[in-house]
Amino acid sequence: MEKTPPQESRDDHRAAQLVTAERMLGMWARAVQKDAHSYYQAAMRAAWTDRAIDHGEDWSPDEGDLEVALEEVWIRGYRLVMGNYQMERWLQLWRKLNDKTAEPARYRELRNALEHLDEASFSGDLVARRAPTGKAWSLDDLPDRELSLGFHNLHVDNAFGIADLKELTDAARIYASFGRGFNDDYEPSSENLEWLRQSDDDCPD
């Protein structure tokens, strides 16, 4: 029969859980702040590129430039939503360990829709909807029950036209200082630094 661990061990375990939760919560909160800023920069660049093409000047970018810019918007928006999901998971654990009430998750439906987007049905106008026999149920929970794979100039402040950058950064700012000072004495070895100095051609496959 397994013995019940002593009270001190349980307390130590809880303390270790709390330290880890705070560290991970702070790490993902800082990531959300960075990803929100990164998304905003990419969205502004895409919006400018789209407008500049219409001018048709010698200096104007072309459709190829816009395609690259839109890819950046999509990828950075995806990272932002997924990073926020991680932050909220660690926030729930942190609140649980501190005997606090759980908070409702923001943009859970959007995260789930992105995670299962390959199961959706796509139209010619770059819109994803749940297929009649598909499992991408979260698409039904989004505004208009669909997700645009394109980009609109109005999406500069809202990833995918849904996730509000200000709301995300305001929430992340509360916990961004958590876990600071963890392993601050770490310094990369000379071997690591030498590898980082290598050119792309010299890097191992």
Side-chain angles (χ1 to χ4, degrees):
M1 181 177 179
E2 185 177 352
K3 294 183 179 179
T4 303
Q7 184 66 36
E8 183 178 358
S9 296
R10 288 198 295 267
D11 290 343
D12 289 346
H13 176 73
R14 182 184 179 89
Q17 292 287 95
L18 183 56
V19 168
T20 302
E22 287 184 352
R23 177 198 174 201
M24 298 300 289
L25 174 55
M27 181 181 73
W28 284 109
R30 293 186 288 275
V32 167
Q33 290 180 311
K34 294 175 183 176
D35 289 341
H37 181 67
S38 177
Y39 173 85
Y40 179 78
Q41 289 181 314
M44 286 290 290
R45 188 177 302 113
W48 177 87
T49 302
D50 188 34
R51 290 193 299 268
I53 289 175
D54 293 337
H55 287 283
E57 303 289 345
D58 292 339
W59 54 265
S60 295
D62 57 27
E63 294 295 333
D65 296 316
L66 181 60
E67 182 178 347
V68 172
L70 293 179
E71 284 186 3
E72 283 296 311
V73 173
W74 176 267
I75 296 299
R76 296 185 192 194
Y78 178 88
R79 289 174 179 168
L80 172 61
V81 173
M82 294 301 169
N84 181 70
Y85 172 72
Q86 284 296 319
M87 183 187 76
E88 291 192 331
R89 286 186 64 93
W90 287 103
L91 174 58
Q92 301 304 344
L93 175 60
W94 179 82
R95 294 187 69 85
K96 178 181 178 181
L97 292 170
N98 283 284
D99 299 319
K100 297 178 180 288
T101 305
E103 293 182 345
R106 286 174 291 271
Y107 309 119
R108 174 179 291 174
E109 294 81 7
L110 175 58
R111 177 265 171 189
N112 290 340
L114 291 171
E115 188 73 7
H116 299 282
L117 195 58
D118 59 320
E119 301 173 2
S121 175
F122 305 100
S123 63
D125 55 351
L126 296 177
V127 173
R129 300 181 180 89
R130 184 170 68 85
T133 58
K135 298 179 181 179
W137 306 106
S138 292
L139 284 167
D140 284 344
D141 297 322
L142 299 181
D144 300 321
R145 305 177 70 180
E146 62 184 32
L147 179 66
S148 173
L149 277 66
F151 174 76
H152 192 282
N153 289 346
L154 296 178
H155 292 179
V156 169
D157 298 316
N158 302 275
F160 304 102
I162 297 174
D164 185 89
L165 301 189
K166 185 179 186 305
E167 182 183 29
L168 291 171
T169 53
D170 285 348
R173 188 177 298 113
I174 299 171
Y175 309 103
S177 64
F178 281 29
R180 283 295 193 188
F182 183 89
N183 209 24
D184 277 348
D185 58 346
Y186 169 77
E187 293 183 5
S189 67
S190 57
E191 293 181 358
N192 289 338
L193 291 174
E194 184 60 31
W195 184 86
L196 288 171
R197 294 190 188 100
Q198 295 179 38
S199 66
D200 291 340
D201 293 336
D202 294 332
C203 287
D205 295 333

